[in-house]
Amino acid sequence: MPRKNKPRRTPAWMGRLTALAILLAVIFTLSYGTGAHIVVRYLDPPFGAWWNSNEFAIAECAAAALGMLIGIRIAARLVLAGALRNRSMIAAVIVGALVLPIVGRLSAEVARFSFTSGGSADAWLIDHFGYDTGIVLDKLLTAGVYSIKIALFALPVGMILFGLAIAIFMTAEPAGDTAAATSR
């Protein structure tokens, strides 16, 4: 049976924002995990000092932004109406950018809770890779898991923001426009 509707594509600007959030999250998480700010300090001391003082906050905000963008993208896939979906995505991204510091901070606080009762992986990593390498790998693993947890806790916020934007735009449209938009 042929498909009548075209596949719903994510707008290019949303893909670029998501790619930027992934890039920032990876760069700053790896930088924090490996202590790369030391290299930057040798190359340019003032910039390295700025990098060192802000890399953790940027890693948290980039992970929260990634989580919210993924949440908005998931929620947008549930809506058929093209114009309504696009307007709601734009509104949700703007509001998400405004509340990003708050969401990043709250997600970081929640991500600090330990959800396991067992030991950490550092003993295993040190045993298998040696002390120096094991410590670096443990710090990288910890920073990566922390960023993933922040993104996962921010994901529902993005979905909620998109849902609120849909609700606001649907109530602002006349009844005939909403029916016509959803039947396309």
Side-chain angles (χ1 to χ4, degrees), residues 33-35 122-140:
T34 60
D122 64 346
W124 185 85
L125 290 169
I126 290 170
D127 187 41
H128 283 78
F129 297 103
Y131 182 77
D132 293 334
T133 306
I135 291 296
V136 171
L137 289 176
D138 181 55
K139 193 169 179 184
L140 273 173

Side-chain angles (χ1 to χ4, degrees), residues 39-50:
V39 175
V40 179
R41 276 190 174 222
Y42 280 120
L43 298 174
D44 186 7
F47 182 67
W50 175 86

Side-chain angles (χ1 to χ4, degrees), residues 50-124:
W50 175 86
W51 185 287
N52 186 23
S53 64
N54 293 308
E55 71 183 337
F56 191 69
I58 293 172
E60 286 179 345
C61 283
L66 177 62
M68 285 194 297
L69 287 170
I70 291 172
I72 291 169
R73 290 175 74 148
I74 290 171
R77 290 205 167 257
L78 302 174
V79 176
L80 264 179
L84 178 63
R85 183 183 72 229
N86 290 338
R87 282 193 316 247
S88 299
M89 284 176 77
I90 292 169
V93 167
I94 290 171
V95 173
L98 293 174
V99 299
L100 179 61
I102 298 167
V103 172
R105 194 77 195 127
L106 291 175
S107 295
E109 290 296 325
V110 173
R112 286 189 181 107
F113 290 124
S114 177
F115 295 104
T116 61
S117 61
S120 63
D122 64 346
W124 185 85

